């Protein structure tokens, strides 16, 4: 890159001083004729043939210049090695340029200027004087002139480069352009370009000391090519910047014009009006002092920010969230306990325990309005009404209802929100649901809380700890809002199918209320009260067009569905009604009555049958009771013996605990072999095989121990297990029957399967009150202390043929 003007040069020798003015009339020094007066310069290189100004200020430099002017001598310009040091023979380069002083100028401010023209290179042989100025014996170096084709080609190339560089400059001096165009000597052109090219003084000194013309031209051409590339890039950047500035100026101009038009139309300043509206909205929101202060601070930032700024929209969205959140508590409504009971009974059949708990909460709320809201968790199989129960509770309490679906959430930010620094950031689902509900004391349902999972973005279970802690959630801090929000008045209701997947600390913060599966009679009442009416409306039918008999509904419950809830029951009722709707829509059918006889045509053959009697019609099959995440179920344990060497074979995809229960049952049978009429030698001549059907379903747990023991005794004695009996319980090697869990669900499953007797551990008597009244009426309960009680109650009496078979 060239310097802008050939008429000026950087300060080469320092500022003038008073001492310099004092020496202007100093007495001349006698010098040999062949001696050369030396003028040292700082960070400046003069080239032969180039005219440059030099500013001098040191006394020695002024004395040397005055001597040269008086005697008409030439001077030698040498650059110092260290620009900050005092000039001395050792501190100067040995090669410099002999220069003619064209003019000596003393400025009004006392500074001294030399206009010099380089004449040729010289080399210092010896310094002969140091005071009052430097003088030296030098050797003049002749400029080489080349006329070879290579030199001429390089000359033309360098001249073209110099012209291109000058054209890229925004204000190239015309004198320099003419000098480059008029150059006839390769050496002169090279020195001219080197003098004005924008490189360091040391690089220029290196070019000056390169006497060989070929090497000197190559160095200058290489440096000039780099500067041309920089100039091109700089020009391109300048064009892009100018285009951007032009577009920005255009936008500013248009906005100013728009503002002027609005003022002429009397619409006023749009931004000022917007700020005024936001200020009023913040005042009406009745925010806590800390939040109000944060909102007004952001509003001041918004007021100072241009509308086109990217951050403008982000701050405006943040203020909208703060304004629209329900910070103030609504007026407390009077609580009518009787009306709440009526609403709960109207919306849901059964669920007495939950209704009692809600009524208790309402009673406490009525007596202590400032109390903290409870954290309830409804746990139970699908389809028993957990989610719809939340809406009924909100209606009974006279509060707004909100719902947050947590199934599949694996990002902690879904609960706490994203920070505002992220593009598209939003508050978490909790704050969003409260804003949608529009009330700070709403009923908020956290659906499927057991379906959350930790991921690489954090653990949402851990984020829920603060939300569901009544002692902490009064200052809940969402990452997006960055200010505390009081959740203590929100009634949180969580739902879950399984509690095992919920971490202990989170489970400890909630009051667990377990919902078991419905009995057949409860399902019948639910279908009559709710499901049929809902499906009639969904399928466009009226009550006077279709009616379903109670025995038909019971047949659907027992033969077409097998579940703890009523979802599939509602689907089957809807399927039957849709079949009727086709005939009514075609006009081929009028009022239709659906009875048991019509179910085959409407729903097809029954899907489920009572297979208990068939399964236990042979020895070695016992009916157990199992707990699953979707409710209780019956489980068949099959045992048989085959000739072998005493091995125990287990099949049916049994878990490790269930395999150990089978081993314990076999060991217990061996220890009691003579007591139950089994020949001990039979175990040495036979393999024992225990199988649990439905082999594709994994099974585990200790509660099948009694059923396995009973099945083994039945298979080895030939005595059949009673077909109306099911059993559950863990066994020990001492013959004790130990308590198990899920008694309520298991007993309901036994009643649903058509059984009439259940054998339960005696230590599970505490669970009797939780069993639905309908199931208690339909079943006979036998409480077991030891496995001997199970054999006595479950097996048919032995006959002579069976005794003979057991002894073989």
């Amino acid at each position: 890159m060239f310097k802008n003007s050939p008429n000026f040069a950087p300060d080469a020798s320092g500022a003038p001083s008073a001492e310099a003015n004092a020496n202007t009339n100093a007495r001349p020094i006698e010098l040999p004729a062949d001696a050369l007066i030396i003028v040292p310069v700082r960070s400046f290189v003069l080239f032969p043939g180039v005219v440059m100004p030099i500013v001098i200020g040191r006394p020695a430099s002024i004395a040397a210049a005055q001597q040269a002017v008086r005697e008409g001598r030439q001077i030698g310009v040498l650059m110092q090695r260290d620009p900050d040091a005092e000039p001395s023979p050792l501190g100067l380069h040995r090669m410099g340029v002999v220069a003619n002083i064209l003019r000596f100028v003393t400025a009004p401010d006392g500074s001294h200027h030399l206009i010099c023209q380089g004449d040729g290179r010289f080399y210092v042989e010896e310094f002969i004087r140091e005071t009052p100025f430097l003088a030296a014996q030098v050797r003049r170096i002749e400029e080489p002139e080349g006329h070879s084709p290579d030199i001429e080609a390089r000359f033309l190339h360098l001249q073209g480069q110099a012209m291109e560089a000058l054209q890229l400059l925004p204000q190239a001096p015309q004198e320099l352009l003419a000098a480059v165009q008029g150059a006839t000597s390769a050496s002169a052109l090279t020195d001219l370009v080197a003098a004005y090219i924008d490189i360091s003084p040391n690089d220029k000194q290196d070019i000056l000391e390169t006497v060989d013309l070929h090497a000197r031209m190559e160095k200058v051409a290489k440096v000039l090519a780099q500067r041309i590339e920089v100039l091109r890039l700089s020009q391109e950047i300048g064009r892009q910047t100018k285009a951007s500035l032009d577009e920005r100026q255009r936008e500013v101009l248009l906005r100013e014009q728009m503002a002027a038009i609005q003022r002429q139309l009397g619409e006023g300043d749009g931004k000022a009006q917007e700020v005024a509206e936001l200020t009023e909205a913040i005042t009406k929101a009745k925010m806590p002092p800390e939040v109000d202060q944060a909102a007004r601070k952001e509003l001041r930032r918004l007021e100072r920010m241009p509308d086109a700024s990217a951050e403008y929209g982000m701050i405006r969205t943040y203020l909208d969230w703060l304004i629209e959140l329900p910070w103030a508590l609504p007026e407390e409504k009077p609580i009518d306990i009787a009306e709440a009971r009526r609403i709960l009974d109207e919306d849901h059949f059964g669920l007495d325990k939950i209704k009692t708990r809600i009524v208790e909460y309402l009673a406490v709320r009525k007596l202590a309005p400032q109390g903290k809201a409870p954290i309830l968790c409804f746990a139970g199989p699908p389809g028993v009404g957990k989610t719809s129960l939340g809406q009924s509770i909100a209606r009974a309490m006279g509060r707004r209802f909100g719902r947050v679906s947590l199934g599949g959430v694996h990002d902690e930010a879904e609960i706490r929100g994203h920070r505002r620094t992220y593009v598209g950031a939003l508050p978490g689902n909790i704050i969003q649901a409260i804003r949608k509900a529009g009330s700070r004391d709403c009923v908020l349902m956290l659906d499927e809380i057991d379906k959350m999972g930790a991921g690489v973005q954090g653990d949402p279970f851990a984020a829920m700890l603060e939300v569901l802690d009544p002692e902490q959630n009064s200052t809940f801090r969402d990452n997006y809002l960055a200010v505390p929000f009081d959740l203590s008045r929100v009634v949180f209701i969580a739902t879950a199918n399984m509690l095992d997947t919920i971490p202990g600390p989170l489970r400890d913060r909630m009051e667990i209320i377990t919902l078991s599966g419905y009995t057949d009679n409860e399902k019948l009442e639910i279908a009559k009260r709710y499901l049929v009416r809902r499906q009639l409306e969904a399928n466009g039918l009226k009550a006077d067009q279709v009616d379903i008999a109670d025995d038909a509904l019971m047949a659907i419950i027992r033969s077409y569905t097998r579940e703890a809830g009523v979802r599939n029951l509602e689907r089957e009722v809807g399927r039957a009604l849709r079949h009727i709707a086709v005939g009514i829509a075609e006009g081929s059918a009028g009022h239709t009555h659906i009875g048991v006889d019509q179910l085959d045509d409407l729903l097809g053959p029954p899907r489920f049958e009572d297979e208990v009697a068939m399964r236990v019609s042979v020895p070695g099959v016992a009916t157990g009771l199992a707990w699953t995440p979707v409710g209780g179920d019956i489980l068949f344990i099959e045992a048989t013996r085959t000739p072998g060497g005493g091995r125990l074979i287990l099949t049916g995809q049994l878990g490790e605990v269930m395999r150990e229960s089978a081993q314990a049952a076999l060991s217990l049978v061996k220890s009691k072999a003579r007591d139950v009429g089994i020949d001990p030698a039979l175990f040495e001549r036979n393999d024992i095989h225990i199988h649990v059907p439905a082999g594709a379903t994994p099974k585990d747990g200790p509660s099948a121990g009694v059923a396995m023991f009973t099945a083994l005794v039945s298979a080895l004695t030939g005595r059949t297990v009673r077909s109306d009996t099911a059993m559950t319980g863990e066994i020990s090697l001492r013959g004790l029957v130990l308590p198990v869990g899920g008694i309520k669900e298991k007993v309901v499953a036994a009643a649903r399967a058509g059984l009439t007797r259940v054998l339960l551990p005696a230590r599970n008597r505490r669970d009797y009150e939780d069993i639905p009244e309908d199931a208690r009426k339909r079943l006979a309960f036998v409480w077991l202390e030891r496995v001997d009680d199970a054999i006595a109650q479950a097996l048919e009496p032995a006959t002579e043929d069976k005794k003979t078979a057991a002894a073989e």
Side-chain angles (χ1 to χ4, degrees):
M1 185 184 300
F2 286 102
K3 298 175 185 177
N4 286 337
S5 174
N7 299 321
F8 296 97
D11 185 354
S13 56
S17 63
E19 186 180 357
N21 294 330
N23 291 334
T24 53
N25 299 317
R27 190 166 52 184
I29 305 299
E30 294 185 4
L31 292 174
D34 58 348
L36 184 64
I37 298 173
I38 303 298
V39 176
V41 293
R42 297 189 184 104
S43 303
F44 172 71
V45 178
L46 182 67
F47 281 87
V50 178
V51 177
M52 283 284 184
I54 301 176
V55 180
I56 57 176
R58 289 181 293 211
S61 300
I62 295 173
Q66 290 175 344
Q67 179 87 0
V69 170
R70 277 194 296 267
E71 297 182 3
R73 286 175 175 264
Q74 293 180 317
I75 61 173
V77 180
L78 282 180
M79 189 177 74
Q80 296 179 211
R81 298 182 186 275
D82 183 1
D84 297 326
E86 287 297 321
S88 65
L90 295 178
L92 299 175
H93 288 279
R94 288 289 178 169
M95 183 170 287
V97 172
V98 176
N100 295 315
I101 299 177
L102 302 181
R103 192 173 181 185
F104 185 106
V105 179
T106 302
D109 61 354
S111 60
H112 300 271
H113 302 263
L114 298 178
I115 307 299
C116 298
Q117 181 179 22
D119 184 45
R121 289 173 171 80
F122 72 87
Y123 182 80
V124 176
E125 297 285 354
E126 181 183 6
F127 285 96
I128 60 175
R129 176 177 289 278
E130 294 188 27
T131 57
F133 51 79
L134 291 171
Q137 297 284 348
V138 301
R139 173 169 51 87
R140 299 287 294 263
I141 299 174
E142 296 297 329
E143 294 293 335
E145 286 296 336
H147 299 285
S148 66
D150 179 64
I151 294 296
E152 290 182 4
R154 290 182 181 276
F155 169 76
L156 294 174
H157 174 68
L158 184 60
Q159 193 176 40
Q161 282 184 306
M163 294 299 295
E164 181 180 1
L166 288 171
Q167 289 171 358
L168 289 172
L169 285 173
Q171 294 178 348
Q174 292 298 322
E175 298 84 351
L176 183 58
L177 193 64
V180 172
Q181 286 179 329
T184 57
S185 167
S187 176
L189 177 64
T190 304
D191 288 341
L192 178 65
V193 173
Y196 288 105
I197 198 169
D198 188 12
I199 56 176
S200 68
N202 289 330
D203 291 337
K204 288 188 177 184
Q205 182 68 30
D206 178 57
I207 293 173
L208 180 69
E209 293 179 359
T210 305
V211 179
D212 181 67
L213 182 59
H214 183 280
R216 195 192 323 160
M217 294 181 76
E218 185 174 356
K219 285 183 180 181
V220 173
K222 184 176 180 181
V223 173
L224 189 56
Q226 293 176 351
R227 305 312 299 172
I228 288 173
E229 187 64 29
V230 171
L231 281 170
R232 286 174 181 166
L233 291 175
S234 176
Q235 194 177 61
E236 181 64 27
I237 292 170
R239 278 199 301 268
Q240 293 176 356
T241 305
K242 185 175 184 300
S244 175
L245 289 174
D246 290 346
E247 183 66 25
R248 184 71 59 84
Q249 290 168 354
R250 178 174 175 272
E251 289 182 4
V252 170
L253 179 61
L254 289 174
R255 291 186 185 280
E256 288 295 332
Q257 291 175 348
M258 185 183 297
I261 293 171
Q262 287 176 342
R263 285 193 294 269
Q264 290 294 328
L265 293 175
E267 296 179 0
D269 189 354
K271 185 173 182 180
Q273 184 178 356
E274 181 183 13
V275 171
E277 291 174 355
L278 288 174
T279 303
E280 184 181 359
I282 291 173
T283 304
K284 290 181 179 179
K286 298 180 181 179
M287 304 175 185
E290 180 182 353
V291 182
D292 186 270
Q293 182 180 357
R296 295 185 187 278
K297 179 181 178 182
E298 292 296 324
L299 182 60
R300 288 193 294 271
R301 288 184 60 203
L302 187 77
E303 193 173 2
R304 294 192 300 268
M305 195 171 293
D307 296 354
S309 172
E311 197 175 359
Y312 184 90
M314 184 186 74
I315 296 177
R316 176 58 199 264
T317 304
Y318 175 70
L319 289 174
D320 287 341
W321 271 100
L322 288 181
I323 291 168
E324 294 176 15
L325 281 174
W327 297 98
L329 275 174
E331 185 179 350
E332 194 76 24
K333 297 180 181 178
I335 298 175
D336 189 340
I337 304 296
E339 178 65 13
R341 274 204 185 96
R342 187 194 65 78
I343 292 173
L344 291 172
D345 291 336
E346 177 185 335
D347 289 351
H348 287 270
F349 178 79
L351 305 178
D352 296 330
K353 186 176 180 180
I354 296 172
K355 293 176 182 177
T356 301
R357 178 64 186 88
I358 297 302
V359 170
E360 289 173 356
Y361 166 72
L362 293 176
V364 173
R365 185 75 181 173
K366 186 173 184 178
L367 299 175
Q370 301 303 320
K372 296 183 182 296
I375 311 292
L376 303 179
C377 179
F378 298 153
V384 296
K386 299 186 298 298
T387 303
S388 61
L389 190 62
Q391 297 178 347
S392 299
I393 292 172
R395 196 159 74 93
M397 298 175 68
R399 296 191 180 190
R400 302 279 186 89
F401 177 77
R403 177 177 172 272
V404 178
S405 180
L406 298 177
V409 171
H410 59 274
D411 187 352
E412 178 259 350
E414 293 288 335
I415 308 300
R416 288 189 176 276
H418 296 82
R419 299 191 183 279
R420 281 186 289 148
T421 52
Y422 295 103
V423 176
L426 283 174
N429 289 336
I430 304 296
I431 296 296
Q432 290 188 43
I434 292 175
R435 176 195 179 187
K436 188 175 181 180
S439 175
R440 194 156 65 83
D441 63 347
C442 62
V443 175
L444 192 58
M445 171 151 284
L446 307 175
D447 222 357
E448 308 291 355
I449 195 172
D450 59 324
K451 304 300 190 302
M452 291 193 300
V456 294
Q457 295 90 356
D459 187 357
F461 280 118
M464 292 296 294
L465 290 176
E466 182 183 4
V467 176
L468 299 183
D469 190 342
E471 301 300 326
Q472 298 182 29
N473 61 13
S474 59
T475 57
F476 174 71
R477 200 175 189 89
D478 187 275
N479 288 332
Y480 180 83
L481 299 181
V483 290
F485 189 88
D486 187 0
L487 300 178
S488 61
R489 306 299 287 274
V490 178
V491 178
F492 287 104
I493 300 176
T495 69
N497 296 131
M498 296 182 66
L499 297 175
D500 297 344
T501 58
I502 303 176
L506 182 59
R507 196 163 60 239
D508 182 62
R509 282 165 166 77
M510 300 185 292
E511 180 181 341
I512 307 296
I513 299 178
T514 304
L515 285 75
S516 61
Y518 295 116
T519 63
D520 291 348
N521 288 338
E522 288 176 332
K523 290 181 180 180
L524 177 62
E525 289 297 326
I526 292 172
K528 289 165 58 179
R529 297 187 185 193
Y530 310 105
L531 304 185
V532 173
R533 184 179 69 234
R534 196 154 61 199
Q535 285 301 313
L536 284 172
E537 294 176 359
N539 293 289
L541 297 173
K542 298 179 181 178
D544 58 356
Q545 293 176 314
V546 184
D547 67 272
I548 304 178
D550 290 357
D551 56 349
L553 289 174
M554 186 60 75
I556 295 175
I557 292 168
R558 292 179 175 174
S559 301
Y560 290 89
T561 62
R562 182 164 290 177
E563 58 177 341
V566 292
R567 280 194 183 138
N568 285 327
L569 173 59
E570 185 173 2
R571 292 191 188 101
E572 295 301 321
V573 171
R575 194 153 69 96
L577 292 177
R578 285 194 299 273
H579 192 89
I580 301 299
V582 174
I584 294 177
E586 292 176 343
S588 59
H591 179 82
T592 305
H593 173 77
I594 300 177
V596 177
D597 298 335
Q598 285 78 33
L599 292 182
D600 284 349
D601 296 331
L602 298 176
L603 302 178
R607 295 190 185 89
F608 303 99
E609 57 182 354
D610 189 3
E611 57 184 7
V612 175
M614 180 186 69
R615 285 294 185 96
V616 297
S617 60
V618 295
V621 181
T623 305
L625 296 174
W627 179 90
T628 69
V630 295
D633 201 359
I634 60 173
L635 189 71
F636 296 102
I637 309 294
E638 298 177 351
T640 187
R641 60 188 175 97
T642 57
R647 293 183 305 153
L648 174 63
I649 303 170
L650 301 174
T651 55
Q653 202 173 156
L654 308 183
E656 189 64 30
V657 177
M658 204 165 184
R659 286 177 172 273
E660 292 176 354
S661 295
Q663 185 66 56
L666 179 59
S667 299
L668 189 57
V669 170
K670 289 180 179 180
S671 67
K672 292 181 172 293
R674 295 193 182 278
D675 298 338
V676 297
I678 301 174
D679 182 5
L682 183 142
F683 297 102
E684 300 176 0
R685 302 191 303 269
N686 295 274
D687 290 339
I688 305 299
H689 187 170
I690 298 177
H691 175 67
V692 182
T697 304
K699 312 167 191 70
D700 202 4
S703 61
V706 170
M708 287 182 174
F709 177 81
T710 304
L712 286 172
V713 173
S714 173
L716 296 175
T717 60
R719 297 169 62 185
T720 305
V721 180
R722 291 182 57 168
S723 60
D724 61 348
T725 301
M727 61 201 75
T728 185
E730 184 180 359
I731 60 172
S732 71
L733 293 179
R734 294 178 293 165
L736 299 176
V737 179
L738 304 179
V740 293
I743 293 296
K744 181 180 179 181
E745 289 80 5
K746 293 175 181 178
V747 171
V748 170
R752 188 169 59 239
L755 299 167
T756 58
R757 294 172 77 241
V758 288
L759 309 185
L760 304 176
R763 291 165 64 181
N764 279 115
R765 285 181 184 271
R766 61 180 181 270
D767 299 312
Y768 182 76
E769 293 300 325
D770 294 335
I771 299 172
E773 184 67 27
D774 180 63
R776 284 190 279 179
K777 290 179 180 178
R778 294 169 56 183
L779 294 170
F781 293 86
V782 179
W783 304 101
L784 307 177
E785 293 281 356
R786 302 182 60 83
V787 293
D788 300 330
D789 302 334
I791 298 301
Q793 296 290 336
L795 297 182
E796 299 284 358
T799 62
E800 290 298 327
D801 294 339
K802 294 177 181 177
K803 290 180 180 179
T804 304
E808 290 179 353

